[in-house]
Amino acid sequence: MSQLILKINPDPIITTKIREDFNAAGFGLIHTNDIEEALEIVDRFEPTIILLDLDFIRFQAFDFCRTLRLQKDNWTPLILMSEKDEEFDLVLGLELGADDYIRKPVRSKELVARVKSILRRQSISWPKNKEKFSNGANNHDIIIIGELTICPSNYTIRINDKIVDFTRKEFEIILYLSQNKGTAISREQLLSVLNEEEFLADVRVIDVFISRIREKIEPCRSKPSYIKTVRGVGYMMHHQDLPYIKKSARSLNHPCTYHDDEYPLKGF
């Protein structure tokens, strides 16, 4: 049985143009222009991947993302498409759990290639995928940094023995930073961790992921203790243990009034 693509777009002509290439690549294609019907299709047919056009019923499209990810806890790969190059749309879409953002017009063969790439990355096991990115570290080794315990063998992260939920991409980023702690990592390098093949991608997505990771692990997001910003480069996992985390502003229920520290490039 072929893998199924759900395309949410109001223009049947566009769908007709790409159907042939998807069929040739072994994908079936379901098309709808209705958000509510799209949710029903997801529940009934369990598509392999979802293509969502933002250029119609824009806010309903974001509501679809929110419902799919937060209410239904459904993490079917999702690609957003738009004619606009709006940073707000990019950031909001990724915050709501989208896996990719494509600016139209997009060629059908390129779209098929992007779909294949996302599904291929999804199927690759973590340890195998990470070998080429680590600095020779055993990917089965448990990594302990301050109150963080990262276990690559079962893809879990704990803070004070409490498991914290991370998406696959968030885990990839924090694992790579941890395996290279004390080293400044560029946004481009982090982007390469997420993308095996270099398609069009925006390094701004890394800032979105880092923000989400900080929200989950930092005692105080405005003064990060674990993931530091390296001015002009990217990010770095702090190399020192953090024994004071238990007495952090969060645990003491005190408001944080600090600002994000940025490490200058000099010295790294």
Side-chain angles (χ1 to χ4, degrees):
M1 181 178 179
S2 63
Q3 299 185 85
L4 190 61
I5 308 295
L6 170 59
K7 190 168 188 295
I8 309 171
N9 181 285
D11 189 345
I13 296 178
I14 296 177
T15 300
T16 301
K17 289 180 179 179
I18 70 170
R19 187 184 298 276
E20 184 176 332
D21 283 330
F22 270 120
N23 289 343
F27 295 98
L29 185 67
I30 295 181
H31 169 256
T32 181
N33 59 3
D34 182 84
I35 292 295
E36 293 301 324
E37 183 181 35
L39 290 170
E40 294 177 4
I41 292 172
V42 170
D43 291 338
R44 182 178 178 184
F45 294 100
E46 299 182 353
T48 306
I49 198 164
I50 301 169
L51 308 177
L52 177 58
D53 195 322
L54 291 180
D55 292 335
F56 81 110
I57 52 176
R58 178 170 173 272
F59 290 106
Q60 288 186 47
F62 286 127
D63 285 340
F64 173 85
C65 297
R66 187 178 295 106
T67 300
L68 189 71
R69 298 309 198 211
L70 302 183
Q71 294 184 21
K72 293 181 175 293
D73 195 27
N74 184 310
W75 291 90
T76 300
L78 174 65
I79 297 178
L80 301 179
M81 299 182 294
S82 176
E83 292 180 350
K84 301 177 181 178
D85 186 21
E86 297 285 347
E87 183 175 7
F88 175 81
D89 288 348
L90 169 67
V91 172
L92 180 57
L94 292 171
E95 287 281 7
L96 292 175
D99 293 273
D100 201 353
Y101 185 98
I102 302 175
R103 187 177 180 184
K104 300 189 303 183
V106 59
R107 295 177 293 272
S108 60
K109 292 186 183 298
E110 178 188 348
L111 187 58
V112 171
R114 282 177 178 264
V115 167
K116 285 184 175 181
S117 178
I118 288 178
L119 296 179
R120 184 164 51 252
R121 294 199 306 270
Q122 187 183 48
S123 66
I124 295 175
S125 63
W126 285 93
K128 180 180 177 181
N129 196 34
K130 287 290 142 303
E131 284 177 0
K132 64 181 180 180
F133 295 121
S134 67
N135 286 338
N138 186 336
N139 286 288
H140 294 279
D141 289 344
I142 292 176
I143 302 172
I144 299 177
I145 303 176
E147 302 297 336
L148 283 181
T149 302
I150 303 168
C151 185
S153 63
N154 59 8
Y155 325 128
T156 58
I157 297 178
R158 296 173 181 267
I159 298 181
N160 289 325
D161 295 326
K162 181 180 179 180
I163 293 179
V164 180
D165 291 330
F166 285 86
T167 67
R168 176 176 58 86
K169 291 185 178 181
E170 291 168 354
F171 188 93
E172 286 181 329
I173 289 175
I174 195 170
L175 176 61
Y176 185 70
L177 287 172
S178 300
Q179 290 174 331
N180 297 276
K181 63 181 178 180
T183 301
I185 307 295
S186 70
R187 290 172 175 83
E188 290 78 11
Q189 191 172 357
L190 289 174
L191 191 62
S192 73
V193 173
L194 301 182
N195 295 280
E196 277 199 315
E197 300 178 17
E198 297 212 357
F199 292 109
L200 295 178
D202 195 323
V203 293
R204 292 176 296 178
V205 304
I206 297 301
D207 296 329
V208 175
F209 285 123
I210 292 295
S211 176
R212 282 161 43 175
I213 292 171
R214 281 173 168 169
E215 185 175 351
K216 296 177 181 181
I217 70 171
E218 295 290 357
C220 179
R221 286 185 62 190
S222 60
K223 189 175 176 65
S225 301
Y226 289 103
I227 300 178
K228 296 288 187 177
T229 300
V230 182
R231 188 182 298 115
V233 179
Y235 299 97
M236 179 188 72
M237 178 66 75
H238 201 283
H239 64 282
Q240 297 182 1
D241 289 332
L242 305 168
Y244 57 87
I245 290 296
K246 290 183 179 179
K247 297 181 180 180
S248 67
R250 176 180 293 177
S251 63
L252 295 174
N253 294 320
H254 287 169
C256 296
T257 57
Y258 303 102
H259 297 286
D260 184 5
D261 283 343
E262 289 195 347
Y263 273 60
L265 179 58
K266 182 178 179 180
F268 290 97

